[in-house]
Amino acid sequence: MAKTKTTFFCQNCGTQHAQWVGQCNTCKQWNTIVEEVIQKEEKRNWKQSETAKKVSKPLRVEEIELNPEERIKTNNAELDNVLGGGLVKGSVTLLGGEPGIGKSTLLLQVALNISQKVLYVSGEESQSQIKMRAERLNAQNSNCLILTETNTQQVFKNIEDVQPDVLVIDSIQTLHTNSIEASPGSISQIRETSAELIKFAKETATPVLLIGHINKEGHIAGPKILEHMVDVVLQFEGDRNHTYRILRSQKNRFGSTAELGIYEMLSNGLRQVSNPSEILISKKDADLSGTAIASTLEGVRPLMIEIQALVSTAVYGTPQRTTTGYNLKRLHMILAVLEKRAGFKLGAKDVFLNITGGIHVDDPAIDLAVVAAILSSNQDIAINPNVCFAAEVGLAGEIRPVSKIEQRINEAEKLGYKTFVTSKYNKITSKNHTIKLILVGKIEEAFATLFA
């Protein structure tokens, strides 16, 4: 047995220190340094396969055989789309998100609908609790086996007996290994148990899905190296006050990180949303001022979102600027452009901006819709609900072109919008659009077109 070693880890960022200090030198957080006793055993936790013992040799690029990645379909179109086509054999996927956002529900739903044999290991809930959730999801899969265990050695014994095609761990922070004398959830335990599971996945070509907790800053708890070790990092986002959920890919070694999946949380589980605009655009009977529809892109998927603005006279002296789902600094820039370049006096007025549905959008193509919503509220004139916007606003007040304009126009046309306002500098090759295109070059032109 190796000699006992004492180390100090930051519980916030995972940085190792030689001795205890009050403040972490890396993340600058106070009182996060914790002493951990590490004691490694000589035995291995996962037996090494014969194929893993082969010595690899260097090859020229042209000599390397390119084998297509074999993927396992999860029967969840949104998740498959984010993963790049399904689960790659031997891959390790880490799913993070806020407490109660639906991480366990999503993976249990996948485990109950996938055709392969799944071993669902839970360290947080009992088998009866998982059974209750499975009944609520209305999905039955005889190939899904439930195991409540937190010791990795016991988990691997069950894996040898069951021989699953897919392994789900809920969650990585609850696991512990006997080779480390530290409490579950500590930096050393997360690092060691993750290494054991990654070793298992690579040697047996079994895809592993891990659920990870997040800290108060919104990052996945544990050492940052955990995100580097795994193949795919997914983030499950959303507000528990809203029914929608967004699944984003922050890292993907087997596909694009630009894709996203959208779900709606219902009483019987997560419903896949193929048309996100149905939940991102509110239904209203009367035309209201301060509302504009923007065309944005999330990955390669065009979305129609609703921008709401409220402009009122400041009654507390200093004007307030508040945003929900939009960058506050960019709102300040747009207000400065409207004041300086277009002559709208908004310096003494409160401006509140909201993107409905609770999502956060960084696409600069929604700038023109933000401008339209602000001016609509300021003038108290409603914008036709059949008008859609997609253009960036520059510091000189010019309306700048945006990428993939054809996809945005086609999506607006498909959803029934009658008018599409964009920059006249966009290169629109197709001439067969039935939607009316309004091309503008400056904010003044857009204002004259909308409020003339």
Side-chain angles (χ1 to χ4, degrees):
M1 184 176 292
K3 184 180 178 181
T4 302
K5 181 181 177 182
T6 301
T7 56
F8 296 86
F9 289 100
C10 173
Q11 297 296 300
N12 184 62
C13 66
T15 304
Q16 183 174 351
H17 298 266
Q19 60 183 6
W20 186 89
V21 290
Q23 183 185 33
C24 177
N25 297 328
T26 303
C27 64
K28 306 302 180 184
Q29 295 294 318
W30 288 91
N31 299 323
T32 58
I33 309 300
V34 176
E35 180 181 10
E36 295 184 5
V37 179
I38 300 178
Q39 186 175 2
K40 293 188 177 180
E41 299 179 358
E42 294 297 330
K43 65 177 183 179
R44 293 183 179 272
N45 294 304
W46 175 252
K47 60 180 182 179
Q48 193 171 16
S49 64
E50 295 297 327
T51 56
K53 295 179 181 179
K54 295 180 180 179
V55 179
S56 59
K57 297 180 180 179
L59 297 174
R60 294 186 180 92
V61 175
E62 58 270 14
E63 296 176 346
I64 301 175
E65 296 182 3
L66 186 60
N67 299 322
E69 296 162 348
E70 189 175 353
R71 294 180 181 265
I72 298 175
K73 295 292 184 180
T74 65
N75 294 326
N76 189 301
E78 296 294 309
L79 178 59
D80 286 339
N81 184 45
V82 174
L83 292 173
L87 290 171
V88 176
K89 289 191 173 182
S91 65
V92 181
T93 302
L94 178 63
L95 174 64
E98 291 280 349
I101 205 68
K103 304 183 295 297
S104 300
T105 301
L106 174 63
L107 291 193
L108 182 59
Q109 200 165 324
V110 169
L112 293 173
N113 288 287
I114 199 170
S115 57
Q116 282 73 16
K117 182 188 292 186
V118 181
L119 178 60
Y120 188 98
V121 181
S122 176
E124 299 180 344
E125 297 176 302
S126 65
Q127 291 177 326
S128 59
Q129 288 177 305
I130 299 175
K131 171 67 174 177
M132 293 171 58
R133 178 179 294 166
E135 291 181 347
R136 179 169 55 86
L137 297 177
N138 295 325
Q140 298 295 330
N141 181 7
S142 59
N143 292 325
C144 180
L145 304 175
I146 308 298
L147 173 66
T148 56
E149 183 59 61
T150 59
N151 186 279
T152 56
Q153 281 72 29
Q154 297 298 323
V155 170
F156 287 133
K157 286 181 181 179
N158 284 275
I159 288 174
E160 292 181 18
D161 297 335
V162 174
Q163 297 293 321
D165 299 316
V166 179
L167 176 64
V168 179
I169 303 294
D170 182 12
S171 65
I172 187 62
Q173 279 83 7
T174 61
L175 293 185
H176 71 276
T177 175
N178 293 334
S179 60
I180 298 290
E181 289 189 357
S183 59
S186 61
I187 298 296
S188 55
Q189 283 286 6
I190 294 175
R191 183 174 58 244
E192 191 68 18
T193 53
S194 300
E196 292 178 6
L197 291 169
I198 292 171
K199 180 179 174 62
F200 158 75
K202 302 304 179 186
E203 292 183 2
T204 62
T206 303
V208 177
L209 295 167
L210 307 175
I211 291 180
H213 299 165
I214 64 172
N215 53 28
K216 60 183 179 181
E217 286 81 18
H219 307 297
I220 296 178
K224 191 67 176 178
I225 193 174
L226 175 61
E227 299 179 41
H228 293 283
M229 293 166 63
V230 300
D231 300 306
V232 182
V233 178
L234 304 180
Q235 189 77 15
F236 210 31
E237 302 174 354
D239 189 346
R240 283 183 292 179
N241 297 323
H242 295 84
T243 59
Y244 87 97
R245 303 288 187 268
I246 292 182
L247 183 66
R248 299 180 187 271
S249 175
Q250 296 183 344
K251 171 189 175 182
N252 192 348
R253 289 175 178 164
F254 312 110
S256 172
T257 58
E259 301 295 338
L260 86 161
I262 299 181
Y263 298 87
E264 183 180 9
M265 178 62 80
L266 302 175
S267 59
N268 58 348
L270 292 163
R271 181 182 73 89
Q272 303 176 55
V273 179
S274 57
N275 179 20
S277 301
E278 70 183 46
I279 61 173
L280 298 178
I281 298 178
S282 60
K283 308 295 187 296
K284 51 185 182 295
D285 297 329
D287 295 339
L288 303 175
S289 63
T291 301
I293 305 299
S295 175
T296 183
L297 278 179
E298 287 288 351
V300 296
R301 173 184 290 185
L303 304 177
M304 297 297 150
I305 60 175
E306 182 178 333
I307 310 292
Q308 293 181 335
L310 176 62
V311 180
S312 61
T313 304
V315 295
Y316 299 109
T318 304
Q320 300 181 66
R321 276 87 170 91
T322 304
T323 62
T324 302
Y326 190 73
N327 192 310
L328 181 60
K329 292 183 179 180
R330 190 151 188 92
L331 174 63
H332 290 162
M333 184 207 75
I334 289 178
L335 293 176
V337 170
L338 290 174
E339 184 99 16
K340 177 74 174 180
R341 303 295 184 183
F344 295 99
K345 304 301 181 183
L346 302 173
K349 294 187 177 182
D350 295 333
V351 179
F352 305 94
L353 192 72
N354 175 48
I355 297 180
T356 60
I359 69 171
H360 185 89
V361 180
D362 293 323
D363 187 3
I366 69 173
D367 286 352
L368 185 57
V370 171
V371 169
I374 291 173
L375 296 181
S376 171
S377 178
N378 187 50
Q379 301 293 323
D380 200 18
I381 300 176
I383 298 175
N384 191 320
N386 291 321
V387 178
C388 183
F389 301 86
E392 181 182 355
V393 176
L395 291 178
E398 78 278 17
I399 307 300
R400 301 175 59 84
V402 294
S403 61
K404 300 179 180 178
I405 187 62
E406 295 282 356
Q407 295 184 26
R408 302 173 193 264
I409 295 175
N410 291 336
E411 181 70 11
E413 195 172 28
K414 183 176 69 174
L415 294 177
Y417 290 93
K418 306 300 182 183
T419 307
F420 194 93
V421 184
T422 186
S423 171
K424 66 180 181 182
Y425 304 109
N426 272 310
K427 295 181 180 179
I428 303 175
T429 56
S430 177
K431 304 296 182 182
N432 300 323
H433 295 298
T434 58
I435 191 172
K436 180 182 178 182
L437 298 179
I438 297 180
L439 306 179
V440 295
K442 292 184 178 181
I443 292 179
E444 296 91 324
E445 298 177 25
F447 178 78
T449 302
L450 295 172
F451 306 107

